[in-house]
Amino acid sequence: MGFIPKSERGSQAKLPEAAVRAEGLANLEVFAELKRKRDELQAQMSEYDRKLKETRITTAPDAAVQMEFDLARPCELMFSYPSAARELKPQKQVVDRMQEFEKTKGLHVAYDYPKRVDLKIVVTEIQYQVETVTDPETGKSVRASMADEGPENFQMTWGAIANLIKLHVGFAIPINRLVLIIGQPEFSSSKICRVLHFTAMNLMFVYLYMAEELADSGILSGDDTTTKVIDVSEEKPESLAHEIDERLGFVSKRADGTGDKKALNVSLLVGKPEADPRSTIRFFRTHVGSVGNLMSKLLEWRSPKAGSLIFQGDLSSTNLPSPELQEKFRLAIAGCGAHARRPFWRFRADDPSLCYYMLRGFLMLTQIEHRIDAIGRTKANVLKLRGRYARWIWLAMKNRCVAAVTGDVPSSGTYPKGITPNIWPPTSDLHAAAMYMINHFDELTLYLVHPALEYTNNGRERALRIEKCMLAGSKFRKTRNGRAVLDILRTINATCTAAQLDVTDYLRYVFKHLDELHDHPERFTPYAVARHLENLKASPRV
């Protein structure tokens, strides 16, 4: 502010009056410029917050808006279909006429119709009368089937088992807590575990078939997250975990060949084997390795006729298959806009000018995607809006990042007027954030020319969040076999949700055809069952 230390000005030093006045005016100009910049940044932050709030306000999709068949999204209830059923129960409330009026006749009666909603967790005990018919001449005896009601040797119905899967697998309620919530002897911890294991054992064939089916998808996306298992020793040959390990492996090697990986992760791979979005498969697998290792294993089954492949993820090298497989399958990598955005939000206090410029750009990219949904997600609309607007936003953000690491201000006019860029050194977090944008620009913008690709990989991350909810509630799984049960049921439940099929209907149909399940698992994927049940409803009854 113009103050000179005493050690520098000397005991008798005195500046000329004109010099003091000039310096004071210069300081006032500097102060005014700083205040102007501060006000501009404050206005940018306020404008960003306002637009962000507007973006969060969503409306129900208009059924009249056009959406091309193969660009439609599967059902986005990531965790599970709801567990509660709804029924109407008329009830009449009457006035005690004698108590209130001391007479019952000569009164005028009027009604109003308020509504109340009751919520119960009810265990219904059903007493069946099961008929058995015998022919005395032949000795043939037939008992009425209970296959529509529930599995043999279990007290639970298919509806009860499906709700246990939804609550435990879909909504991450630990089994011991479920026991306390239900509070009935038929739903003990051991019985719940036994019925879940029984269900997973039979659905293992469908689980492994869907892994093979996923391998032929044109676009794969995925992510992984750490998990915990107390006992990770090798399972017995007849166990569920061992059967899956035989097909998918369990421990992956390090890329540098120095040994095995150590981290236990849950990987999620999502793909669409057919054009119908309801064919989307959400495949969960617990193993020592990353989602890249899981994808490498699945690519061993990929058909040569499947064509090129696009994988969307966070661009970490550990989340990609080996370079040999990338070259063999002409693998193109798509980035995630949310991963590029997060560092600028995290470190926005270090350089508000840079960070809020970037954040406003990412916000506009999100608004473009909302605009596409509003006017109709067709290939023409997607390519038009992304090419006309989103591409230029990406270029402007890239130029800003170049200025932040080199100080070079582009001549295109994309840099804000009157603001000198801060140059961040290579050791800083914002330098790393800017270089991520520069180095991965092609991967981050690949979605601009592929209408089926999404702007971010957030859907996969949300689906994996259920694992963190499970760990927060129950801390760990005791055995790898327990993890295998969870992987299978989580895959079936999430894939049923994508197919818009309630898992109760799925279980009822599949377990009526157990004799076919081993030899023809392709008939019992959630998508195949959903189509079959729809055809049954559509076909006229004879």
Side-chain angles (χ1 to χ4, degrees):
M1 299 296 294
F3 298 107
I4 300 176
K6 184 177 181 181
S7 60
E8 294 184 12
R9 67 174 182 258
S11 57
Q12 303 295 327
K14 190 173 183 181
L15 291 174
E17 186 176 342
V20 172
R21 189 181 301 110
E23 185 177 358
L25 291 174
N27 289 335
L28 288 175
E29 291 177 359
V30 171
F31 179 77
E33 179 65 16
L34 290 173
K35 186 176 182 300
R36 183 185 67 79
K37 291 182 179 180
R38 185 201 64 182
D39 293 342
E40 285 182 359
L41 288 174
Q42 189 62 47
Q44 290 175 10
M45 289 187 282
S46 299
E47 180 69 7
Y48 175 78
D49 291 337
R50 184 185 66 80
K51 289 184 176 180
L52 187 61
K53 290 177 182 178
E54 289 178 356
T55 303
R56 289 173 180 164
I57 299 173
T58 57
T59 56
D62 186 353
V65 172
Q66 182 184 4
M67 180 175 285
E68 288 191 6
F69 177 73
D70 55 344
L71 294 185
R73 296 190 177 99
C75 184
E76 286 301 322
L77 288 167
M78 281 295 185
F79 294 150
S80 182
Y81 260 67
S83 298
R86 192 178 185 99
E87 60 180 20
L88 296 176
K89 185 180 179 181
Q91 189 165 319
K92 188 174 182 179
Q93 302 295 110
V94 297
V95 176
D96 189 333
R97 290 166 172 77
M98 288 302 297
Q99 180 177 340
E100 300 294 340
F101 301 100
E102 297 183 351
K103 61 179 181 177
T104 59
K105 296 183 179 181
L107 301 173
H108 174 72
V109 178
Y111 295 96
D112 63 310
Y113 300 90
K115 289 185 179 181
R116 300 288 187 274
V117 178
D118 192 16
L119 175 63
K120 297 179 181 178
I121 297 178
V122 179
V123 174
T124 304
E125 184 175 328
I126 306 172
Q127 183 68 54
Y128 294 95
Q129 180 180 344
V130 184
E131 182 183 57
T132 300
V133 178
T134 304
D135 184 349
E137 296 182 0
T138 63
K140 180 180 179 181
S141 182
V142 177
R143 181 175 181 266
S145 174
M146 292 286 289
D148 273 341
E149 305 303 319
E152 292 291 338
N153 304 318
F154 286 94
Q155 290 179 296
M156 301 179 195
T157 64
W158 293 124
I161 295 172
N163 280 331
L164 289 174
I165 292 174
K166 291 175 185 178
L167 293 172
H168 176 57
V169 174
F171 296 105
I173 301 178
I175 289 177
N176 288 337
R177 200 169 298 164
L178 263 179
V179 173
L180 296 175
I181 292 172
I182 299 171
Q184 299 295 326
E186 294 84 359
F187 293 88
S188 65
S189 178
S190 60
K191 289 179 180 178
I192 292 175
C193 289
R194 190 163 70 93
V195 75
L196 293 182
H197 184 268
F198 166 80
T199 307
M201 279 291 295
N202 286 284
L203 294 178
M204 177 187 66
F205 305 106
V206 179
Y207 175 78
L208 293 174
Y209 175 79
M210 286 198 295
E212 296 183 22
E213 199 175 24
L214 192 62
D216 288 336
S217 299
I219 296 175
L220 289 174
S221 56
D223 205 350
D224 52 45
T225 187
T226 57
T227 191
K228 297 178 183 178
V229 172
I230 296 299
D231 183 4
V232 292
S233 57
E234 186 172 351
E235 294 287 341
K236 297 177 181 178
E238 66 274 11
S239 71
L240 184 63
H242 186 270
E243 290 278 347
I244 298 174
D245 291 348
E246 287 289 301
R247 296 291 302 277
L248 298 177
F250 180 66
V251 179
S252 301
K253 300 290 184 182
R254 293 182 182 274
D256 58 9
T258 58
D260 295 336
K261 291 188 173 182
K262 303 296 183 184
L264 185 69
N265 290 317
V266 180
S267 293
L268 167 64
L269 270 179
V270 179
K272 190 173 63 173
E274 299 187 29
D276 192 335
R278 296 186 309 160
S279 70
T280 299
I281 295 173
R282 295 169 178 149
F283 189 85
F284 293 85
R285 167 68 173 148
T286 302
H287 60 132
V288 178
S290 68
V291 68
N293 299 124
L294 176 61
M295 185 164 60
S296 295
K297 187 65 181 179
L298 265 57
L299 288 180
E300 294 177 6
W301 306 334
R302 186 174 177 85
S303 168
K305 299 179 181 179
S308 58
L309 174 65
I310 298 175
F311 175 72
Q312 185 171 37
D314 61 9
L315 301 181
S316 169
S317 59
T318 60
N319 284 351
L320 299 175
S322 64
E324 294 78 16
L325 288 175
Q326 293 184 41
E327 183 177 354
K328 178 179 178 181
F329 295 106
R330 293 174 288 162
L331 182 68
I333 310 298
C336 168
H339 278 83
R341 172 193 174 275
R342 287 169 192 156
F344 295 104
W345 173 259
R346 193 176 299 125
F347 305 111
R348 63 192 183 280
D350 297 344
D351 189 346
S353 176
L354 167 65
C355 292
Y356 277 97
Y357 182 91
M358 300 297 292
L359 290 172
R360 289 199 307 275
F362 286 115
L363 182 58
M364 285 188 283
L365 293 173
T366 301
Q367 291 170 336
I368 289 171
E369 295 302 308
H370 290 340
R371 179 60 181 162
I372 292 173
D373 288 328
I375 66 174
R377 189 166 284 272
T378 65
K379 289 184 175 68
N381 287 341
V382 171
L383 292 174
K384 177 182 177 181
L385 268 70
R386 287 179 177 178
R388 181 176 293 179
Y389 303 110
R391 179 172 298 280
W392 295 107
I393 294 171
W394 278 106
L395 287 171
M397 292 195 298
K398 179 184 177 182
N399 289 338
R400 187 68 187 262
C401 288
V402 170
V405 297
T406 65
D408 297 333
V409 179
S411 58
S412 59
T414 55
Y415 204 88
K417 184 179 179 181
I419 299 180
T420 304
N422 294 322
I423 302 175
W424 289 93
T427 55
S428 64
D429 293 312
L430 284 176
H431 183 280
M435 290 306 300
Y436 182 90
M437 169 76 78
I438 296 168
N439 293 335
H440 298 296
F441 187 75
D442 290 341
E443 292 91 339
L444 291 169
T445 57
L446 184 64
Y447 82 100
L448 298 176
V449 294
H450 288 276
L453 277 175
E454 297 180 35
Y455 159 51
T456 71
N457 198 39
N458 284 346
R460 272 50 65 192
E461 296 185 6
R462 290 194 196 101
L464 278 174
R465 181 169 173 74
I466 192 66
E467 177 64 24
K468 294 306 182 185
C469 295
M470 184 77 77
L471 286 178
S474 57
K475 304 305 180 187
F476 52 80
R477 272 294 191 276
K478 187 175 181 180
T479 65
R480 282 185 47 215
N481 219 45
R483 282 298 325 184
V485 169
L486 185 61
D487 288 341
I488 293 174
L489 296 181
R490 187 177 279 170
T491 297
I492 294 295
N493 186 55
T495 305
C496 277
T497 305
Q500 300 180 17
L501 172 68
D502 192 288
V503 71
T504 308
D505 298 328
Y506 176 78
L507 294 177
R508 183 178 287 114
Y509 179 83
V510 169
F511 280 87
K512 283 177 65 176
H513 301 83
L514 279 181
D515 54 335
E516 305 174 40
L517 187 60
H518 185 278
D519 295 328
H520 300 284
E522 71 278 2
R523 299 177 185 173
F524 301 99
T525 65
Y527 177 57
V529 172
R531 286 193 306 177
H532 180 73
L533 294 179
E534 286 173 359
N535 292 336
L536 287 180
K537 289 180 180 179
S539 60
R541 295 183 180 180
V542 180

